[in-house]
Amino acid sequence: MKILVLTLITNGPDPVTGRTPTPNARLHRVVDNAVLAEELGFDGYAVGERHERPFLSSAPPVVLSHIAARTSRITLFTGVTTLSLLDPVRAYEDYATLDQLADGRLELIIGKGNGAAQAQLFDVTTDDQWDRNAEGYELFRRLWREERTTWSGRFRPPLVDAETWPPPRQHPVRVWHGSATSKESVEVAARYGDPLFSANVTNPIEPYAELIAHYRERWAAHGHDPADALVGAGTAAFHIAPTSQQAIEEFRPAYAARLAAAERFGLPTVFPTVEDFVERSSALVGSPQQIVDKVLRYHAVFGHEVLHLHLDGDGLTPRRQREQLETFQSEVAPALRADVPSRPLAGAVPRDPDDARPADSPVGVAS
């Protein structure tokens, strides 16, 4: 199993101290966490995209470019790129440039996005977001594969023999389709033969299991080899401790803060108590063995090869967060990797001789 860590870059009051970090401090902690994730041996680091409070994740290519400069091995993900809101040409240019700077370590998870601000900021509504997402991906996919593109659609001006530049380092970058409960995203993924990443965070297992089963059915219906289908799945929370009782008590303030935020934003309460949340959701809150058992129980239903952990560290000091990740890597990850075979993620592409820059030459100055 491949293991990613994910941040949506939420920025609200800490559930323990009550203090809200400055945007500067929060963004720098995201980058530092990515460096830590690479140091500890995680396979990937994902940055989400949201366009409203309390998230600071409106520009994932910018954040990931800074992370690319601070890391050298870890695969960089988006989680997700909200393609329904973006011009596909502009998105291609941003991510192809990022793929070059990251030496081919980029994978994308795309989705329609959500949140009330989308209609106000981008004039994208629930009436057209699915059509925009599907049409945008049709063009986006072609741009990664074609030197010149002729295309027309509903939501942006047509292209005639258009060249997009720069080329990516990978040809092409792999694109996953993120889905919570929508069969529309599943259908697009299955039609193109692309992998699916199930959000798996808001509800119990049943609706996500149904959606993944539908993906595999549609994959085969579109003529793809069932053995080639690739699935990833998220988790609702992460907190590890020597015993389940300690893990739940330490996580309790963070969950109380989640419930308060859900009430503030008018969101439904699916799991009314932290105990119910730990029992019935995908949250990995417990002892190392309990976390192993839960992931494998979900894997028996989903057949997923890639897992993500939330890495926002609510209520944790940087030192305590590091201890949690170290424990996961030493006591949980080896069992998951041993029990769940997985295909490789994007890795650094070897440099061409012409890419090399003498170590003693200042950037931008020829030797």
Side-chain angles (χ1 to χ4, degrees):
M1 178 168 277
K2 295 293 188 292
I3 302 161
L4 321 178
V5 286
L6 167 77
T7 179
L8 297 177
I9 322 185
T10 54
N11 197 47
D14 184 278
V16 175
T17 68
R19 294 193 296 269
T20 299
T22 66
N24 183 274
R26 183 72 184 89
L27 288 166
H28 278 289
R29 185 173 182 184
V30 166
V31 177
D32 291 342
N33 280 343
V35 175
L36 174 62
E38 178 172 273
E39 175 190 337
L40 296 179
F42 284 90
D43 299 294
Y45 191 87
V47 174
E49 179 178 339
R50 298 292 292 269
H51 294 273
E52 59 193 331
R53 291 177 182 268
F55 305 97
L56 300 178
S57 52
S58 58
V62 179
V63 178
L64 287 169
S65 290
H66 194 41
I67 291 171
R70 295 275 308 276
T71 59
S72 61
R73 300 182 308 278
I74 197 166
T75 303
L76 306 179
F77 275 80
T78 59
V80 301
T81 295
T82 53
L83 200 57
S84 64
L85 311 184
L86 307 176
D87 179 83
V89 174
R90 178 73 257 190
Y92 165 83
E93 292 173 335
D94 286 344
Y95 285 113
T97 302
L98 171 55
D99 194 50
Q100 287 286 356
L101 291 170
D103 293 326
R105 291 185 284 136
L106 179 65
E107 301 212 13
L108 301 177
I109 307 175
I110 67 164
K112 68 172 180 59
N114 54 39
Q118 293 185 177
Q120 179 183 12
L121 294 175
F122 298 98
D123 195 28
V124 174
T125 70
T126 55
D127 294 330
D128 64 10
Q129 60 186 358
W130 292 114
D131 290 340
R132 287 179 179 273
N133 190 63
E135 179 183 291
Y137 183 58
E138 176 195 351
L139 174 56
F140 190 66
R141 179 182 174 86
R142 288 181 57 185
L143 295 174
W144 290 96
R145 292 163 170 79
E146 299 174 358
E147 291 188 6
R148 292 184 177 274
T149 301
T150 297
W151 174 92
S152 63
R154 292 172 54 198
F155 299 108
R156 65 147 288 134
L159 302 176
V160 179
D161 197 30
E163 182 181 35
T164 46
W165 200 250
R169 186 73 177 184
Q170 302 174 81
H171 295 283
V173 69
R174 179 158 60 185
V175 177
W176 302 65
H177 295 255
S179 179
T181 57
S182 164
K183 290 186 176 180
E184 285 88 345
S185 293
V186 167
E187 176 62 29
V188 173
R191 184 194 328 150
Y192 286 109
D194 292 332
L196 178 74
F197 214 106
S198 172
N200 191 38
V201 297
T202 306
N203 297 297
I205 191 172
E206 289 79 12
Y208 305 114
E210 180 181 343
L211 210 64
I212 290 171
H214 181 69
Y215 166 69
R216 295 186 187 279
E217 292 169 5
R218 296 304 300 156
W219 176 278
H222 283 290
H224 306 300
D225 185 342
D228 293 335
L230 179 59
V231 174
T235 56
F238 167 62
H239 193 97
I240 194 168
T243 68
S244 61
Q245 294 84 356
Q246 180 180 339
I248 289 173
E249 289 310 311
E250 289 178 350
F251 183 70
R252 192 178 297 278
Y255 192 66
R258 287 192 183 199
L259 290 179
E263 183 178 359
R264 189 164 61 252
F265 288 104
L267 301 175
T269 299
V270 179
F271 308 104
T273 67
V274 67
E275 289 82 5
D276 186 44
F277 179 66
V278 172
E279 175 66 24
R280 294 196 301 123
S281 82
S282 63
L284 303 182
V285 177
S287 69
Q289 188 58 54
Q290 286 174 313
I291 289 176
V292 170
D293 292 343
K294 190 168 198 178
V295 173
L296 294 180
R297 187 165 71 248
Y298 269 72
H299 171 73
V301 178
F302 293 168
H304 59 305
E305 299 179 24
V306 182
L307 175 81
H308 83 50
L309 304 177
H310 278 281
L311 193 65
D312 284 332
D314 294 341
L316 299 177
T317 64
R319 178 178 177 180
R320 183 72 181 101
Q321 185 178 41
R322 182 188 182 99
E323 291 171 352
Q324 295 246 327
L325 296 174
E326 288 175 336
T327 301
F328 183 92
Q329 283 293 71
S330 63
E331 301 186 38
V332 175
L336 299 180
R337 291 186 173 121
D339 286 355
V340 181
S342 54
R343 284 159 274 193
L345 302 178
V349 176
R351 286 177 173 268
D352 296 330
D354 289 344
D355 290 336
R357 186 176 70 240
D360 58 350
S361 293
V363 174
V365 177
S367 59

